[in-house]
Amino acid sequence: MTLKDVAIELKKYSTVLIFCHNRPDGDTLGSAFALKHALEQVDGKIADIVCPQPVPEKYYALDFIGKTLLPSDVTKKYSCHIALDCASEMMLGDSYGLFVKNQVTINVDHHVSNERYAKFNYVDDRASCCEIVYGLINYLGREVNDSVANSLLLGVVTDTGNFMHNNVTKATLQTASELVEKGASLNKISYAMFKNQKIERAKLYAHVINGIKFFEDGKIAIISVFKRDFEKFSATQDMTEGFIDFPLSIEGVEVAVSLMETKDNAYKISLRSKGKVNVNEVASSFGGGGHVLASGCLIHGFYEDVKDKILRAISINF
Ligand SMILES: [Mn+2]
């Protein structure tokens, strides 16, 4: 199905429920709010957003990002369900059961590992899902006003690490340029995302970076965040977003790994590569996935075992 077909399909429905992924980031939230702002330009159209967790606090400074519903808050029936930036059933988390309840499900995403779990699927390998949603809104014939433009730029900025990752293409910059022209503020978004962290996050960051470990002659760097660390610094799990950029920035490091203890003996693994290792393959071998240079998965077990498993999987992919 083409993106235009998605727009034609979407136009049929007057009430739409938009799904964000587990541990929401700027791209899934930006995509969802852009589509909501665009759809609701037409009288009588209702677009609500559901997410397994509430919107993290750092987005509160951005007035175009509002509140989202938890799956348990959803009581109404919608004519269509659409997931944005969700590569797999697993990424929908606690919303998955709700997602599949509708006859009409749409999946719009930019992850190469996307599992095509919906009735209608559109996947394009772009730097951010927001780039795709920009195209979708144009096909819908809706105005890219201030709030739409800002929401979309949020996803572009966060998924490209402020235009520094190697997923940035001419199209990414073209999109960003058009969004700025239409009223998006790059400065406001970048400041809120990268230059205004909580003191709790700063303290947790210092602690985690202090515990960095190197393997394979310095080619692999691992950082670990334990449940006790969150308690010690009164920090929350969503605050670790971006931690992994530091180990990857070290000379000689080819793969950076973050192990975050989310529950007892359960670790959320994030992987970043400079190019020599396809970390999508590494993550896929544990049931996860993502992109060639940025991927993730969940592994159950004791810390040392989990660490050894992931090290072995990376080593054989060198
Ligand atoms: Mn994304």
Side-chain angles (χ1 to χ4, degrees), residues 26-28 30-31 127-128 130 150-160:
D27 193 29
T28 196
S31 297
S128 64
C130 278
N150 270 300
S151 303
L152 292 173
L153 191 61
L154 170 65
V156 176
V157 162
T158 52
D159 263 25
T160 61

Side-chain angles (χ1 to χ4, degrees), residues 21 25 27-28 31 85 109-111 127-130 155 159 291:
H21 64 68
D25 62 9
D27 193 29
T28 196
S31 297
D85 198 33
D109 184 35
H110 71 122
H111 295 88
S128 64
C129 189
C130 278
D159 263 25
H291 309 278

Side-chain angles (χ1 to χ4, degrees), residues 210-230:
N210 197 37
I212 191 167
K213 298 227 161 42
F214 298 93
F215 301 88
E216 298 279 329
D217 298 323
K219 291 204 283 284
I220 304 173
I222 295 189
I223 55 169
S224 310
V225 199
F226 300 97
K227 271 172 64 184
R228 58 174 185 271
D229 300 329
F230 292 113

Side-chain angles (χ1 to χ4, degrees), residues 2-290:
T2 66
L3 193 56
K4 199 176 171 188
D5 295 334
V6 176
I8 292 166
E9 189 62 32
L10 209 50
K11 270 193 177 173
K12 294 181 192 163
Y13 307 105
S14 55
T15 59
V16 176
L17 186 59
I18 305 167
F19 287 68
C20 288
H21 64 68
N22 228 352
R23 303 176 202 290
D25 62 9
D27 193 29
T28 196
L29 291 169
S31 297
F33 277 95
L35 186 60
K36 176 185 168 72
H37 295 315
L39 288 173
E40 290 187 341
Q41 285 166 13
V42 172
D43 277 349
K45 273 253 187 191
I46 294 172
D48 290 330
I49 302 171
V50 63
C51 185
Q53 292 93 23
V55 174
E57 215 183 312
K58 70 171 177 178
Y59 298 97
Y60 294 1
L62 304 171
D63 55 9
F64 47 88
I65 299 295
K67 288 210 171 92
T68 54
L69 301 166
L70 292 170
S72 57
D73 297 333
V74 178
T75 46
K76 270 194 293 191
K77 276 205 81 176
Y78 295 80
S79 37
C80 160
H81 286 175
I82 179 167
L84 300 175
D85 198 33
C86 302
S88 60
E89 298 173 3
M90 209 176 81
M91 273 181 87
L92 281 157
D94 290 342
S95 299
Y96 182 69
L98 176 66
F99 182 74
V100 293
K101 267 190 188 160
N102 207 297
Q103 293 285 309
V104 186
T105 54
I106 306 175
N107 156 26
V108 172
D109 184 35
H110 71 122
H111 295 88
V112 289
S113 64
N114 191 287
E115 287 171 5
R116 274 92 174 161
Y117 49 83
K119 183 175 178 200
F120 303 109
N121 301 279
Y122 179 82
V123 182
D124 189 11
D125 184 13
R126 305 288 289 263
S128 64
C129 189
C130 278
E131 285 180 54
I132 302 172
V133 175
Y134 179 53
L136 177 61
I137 290 169
N138 285 329
Y139 279 126
L140 284 167
R142 300 283 186 273
E143 188 204 346
V144 178
N145 59 20
D146 221 71
S147 20
V148 173
N150 270 300
S151 303
L152 292 173
L153 191 61
L154 170 65
V156 176
V157 162
T158 52
D159 263 25
T160 61
N162 222 3
F163 302 102
M164 287 207 298
H165 295 161
N166 104 336
N167 57 8
V168 175
T169 61
K170 186 179 163 190
T172 315
L173 296 172
Q174 181 77 47
T175 301
S177 158
E178 290 176 22
L179 295 174
V180 169
E181 191 186 12
K182 290 178 164 113
S185 169
L186 178 59
N187 176 258
K188 190 178 164 188
I189 293 169
S190 304
Y191 188 86
M193 291 300 104
F194 306 114
K195 299 286 174 195
N196 194 32
Q197 63 177 319
K198 292 259 169 216
I199 191 161
E200 291 83 0
R201 181 190 186 270
K203 285 179 174 172
L204 178 67
Y205 182 73
H207 174 79
V208 168
I209 297 306
N210 197 37
I212 191 167
K213 298 227 161 42
F214 298 93
F215 301 88
E216 298 279 329
D217 298 323
K219 291 204 283 284
I220 304 173
I222 295 189
I223 55 169
S224 310
V225 199
F226 300 97
K227 271 172 64 184
R228 58 174 185 271
D229 300 329
F230 292 113
E231 285 155 30
K232 186 173 174 194
F233 299 104
S234 311
T236 50
Q237 288 184 8
D238 62 84
M239 288 180 184
T240 61
E241 203 187 319
F243 278 20
I244 197 164
D245 295 336
F246 184 84
L248 192 67
S249 75
I250 299 166
E251 191 178 13
V253 170
E254 282 298 330
V255 179
V257 186
S258 157
L259 279 87
M260 178 167 85
E261 187 184 18
T262 53
K263 287 179 202 147
D264 285 333
N265 297 324
Y267 291 85
K268 181 189 174 249
I269 315 289
S270 301
L271 299 148
R272 298 288 183 276
S273 168
K274 282 186 185 143
K276 284 197 181 135
V277 176
N278 177 348
V279 289
N280 183 42
E281 300 223 320
V282 177
S284 299
S285 65
F286 296 102

